[in-house]
Amino acid sequence: MELNQISYFINLAETLNFTAAARLSGVSQPSLTRAIRRLEDELGGPLIHRDGKNSRLTGLGHDVEAEFRRVVVAMRSVRNHSENWAMGRHRVLDVAVAPSVGPKEFTAFFESALSQAPSIEIRLHSLQANEDTSEVLSGRYHACILPRETRLDRKLEIHPLFRERFVLGCSASHPLTANETVRGEDLAEFPFVDRLRRDFRDRIHDHFAQRGVVIQPRLRSDREDWVQRVVADSYAVCILPYRSATVSGLVTRPIEGFDLEREVVIATVSGSTAPIEIRKVAQLAAGYEWK
């Protein structure tokens, strides 16, 4: 099947006349007729009842027309993207965010960034468990917002955004909320909700194990919203980055002697191969005054 057959058939479906369709298509009537016959042979049935002025689409013809019109819309979108890339006007930017990075304060940043770059649109995605900054290099995303990785590819441009400490998360009615600072050994008295992702959980467990505090998870999930919701609705506790707390009813408290923290960064492809718009967004993020 060729793209010109698609446009020929759509013109035929609109006119129901081979001569008129050929004129719209800019080809001779015999050429269009041959193209439609090849298409019918390939699809395995007639697309139009040939009956002079009473010619009409077959059932298959109606179905094919609907699908071909979707193809035309998709092709127009591809051309627009291609032209935007060629002229440096790539307006749709795909940015993936790690699940453990909460939206707090990012709303204000994106509002500020979009006001300074009105020609772009940002599509936010959730960075999956099996994904990392390599998805930026593969072209799946234009940028990733995530905790800084220990091993970084030299082909990536890394812009630090902010640092944040890990704190205790519990419900507003939890007994530990009465303390301004919670002791590490107090955590062992309550059910602990853990994460399946390993981006920081190993460091947390190692910290308490070195101090003789054994944390025994009663529930694990790779869904950050589930972890926080369970904690907010029960006597369970969790440990999370300070800015990640988003669920209503969840409060945080610092943990005595617990100074573990992480750095959140935005990663893009380095150099001129990255779209100028994503480089601008990354620069705005790096220079933004995060609270």
Side-chain angles (χ1 to χ4, degrees):
M1 186 183 302
E2 300 175 357
L3 290 177
N4 61 353
Q5 289 176 295
I6 294 176
S7 62
Y8 293 171
F9 179 71
I10 288 177
N11 289 335
L12 179 61
E14 290 178 349
T15 62
L16 297 177
N17 182 284
F18 282 84
T19 302
R23 189 182 305 114
L24 286 175
S25 303
V27 297
S28 66
Q29 187 266 329
S31 294
L32 183 134
T33 299
R34 286 194 297 270
I36 297 300
R37 288 196 181 280
R38 289 198 307 270
L39 186 61
E40 290 176 323
D41 290 341
E42 185 173 350
L43 296 177
L47 299 175
I48 184 170
H49 292 295
R50 295 163 173 81
D51 189 16
K53 292 183 179 180
N54 295 320
S55 295
R56 61 197 183 280
L57 295 180
T58 64
L60 175 61
H62 282 292
D63 291 341
V64 169
E65 180 192 10
E67 295 302 324
F68 278 2
R69 290 191 181 279
R70 292 189 182 97
V71 172
V72 170
V73 172
M75 288 302 300
R76 288 174 183 165
S77 178
V78 169
R79 288 195 190 95
N80 288 336
H81 284 300
S82 177
E83 290 173 0
N84 286 337
W85 272 102
M87 301 181 67
R89 297 197 315 262
H90 189 64
R91 298 180 180 178
V92 180
L93 302 177
D94 292 288
V95 179
V97 184
S100 65
V101 177
K104 186 182 296 183
E105 298 172 24
F106 275 96
T107 301
F109 163 69
F110 282 121
E111 183 179 14
S112 173
L114 291 172
S115 68
Q116 297 182 63
S119 65
I120 68 171
E121 171 192 338
I122 296 177
R123 292 189 299 210
L124 295 176
H125 306 266
S126 178
L127 194 66
Q128 301 302 308
N130 61 339
E131 296 178 333
D132 53 23
T133 50
S134 62
E135 304 300 331
V136 175
L137 296 175
S138 71
R140 180 178 178 85
Y141 305 121
H142 295 102
C144 285
I145 298 174
L146 72 174
R148 179 184 286 272
E149 298 173 345
T150 54
R151 296 180 180 178
L152 295 176
D153 195 297
R154 290 181 298 176
K155 298 177 183 178
L156 291 172
E157 188 80 26
I158 305 298
H159 296 272
L161 302 184
F162 54 79
R163 302 187 71 86
E164 60 182 342
R165 297 187 66 174
F166 286 83
V167 295
L168 173 78
C170 60
S171 69
S173 60
H174 199 281
L176 293 181
T177 59
N179 306 320
E180 292 186 4
T181 302
V182 176
R183 298 180 306 164
E185 52 266 33
D186 292 337
L187 274 65
E189 301 179 16
F190 301 94
F192 188 78
V193 182
D194 204 357
R195 296 163 182 80
L196 293 174
R197 293 176 65 95
R198 303 178 65 89
D199 51 358
F200 54 79
R201 62 184 291 270
D202 289 346
R203 291 185 292 165
I204 293 174
H205 286 267
D206 289 345
H207 171 88
F208 290 106
Q210 292 172 5
R211 289 158 179 77
V213 178
V214 179
I215 297 178
Q216 297 182 339
R218 301 300 304 278
L219 179 67
R220 300 177 191 265
S221 175
D222 59 359
R223 289 275 302 270
E224 184 66 25
D225 55 343
W226 278 60
V227 170
Q228 295 190 25
R229 186 72 269 165
V230 169
V231 170
D233 291 342
S234 69
Y235 264 27
V237 297
C238 70
I239 295 176
L240 74 168
Y242 173 70
R243 297 171 189 258
S244 295
T246 58
V247 170
S248 61
L250 182 73
V251 300
T252 60
R253 291 290 185 271
I255 303 172
E256 187 178 89
F258 188 57
D259 56 0
L260 182 65
E261 63 178 14
R262 70 175 185 178
E263 183 178 41
V264 174
V265 303
I266 181 169
T268 65
V269 174
S270 62
S272 59
T273 54
I276 187 172
E277 288 83 1
I278 197 62
R279 282 183 277 158
K280 180 176 179 61
V281 170
Q283 291 167 359
L284 291 173
Y288 186 72
E289 293 186 8
W290 302 93
K291 295 180 182 179

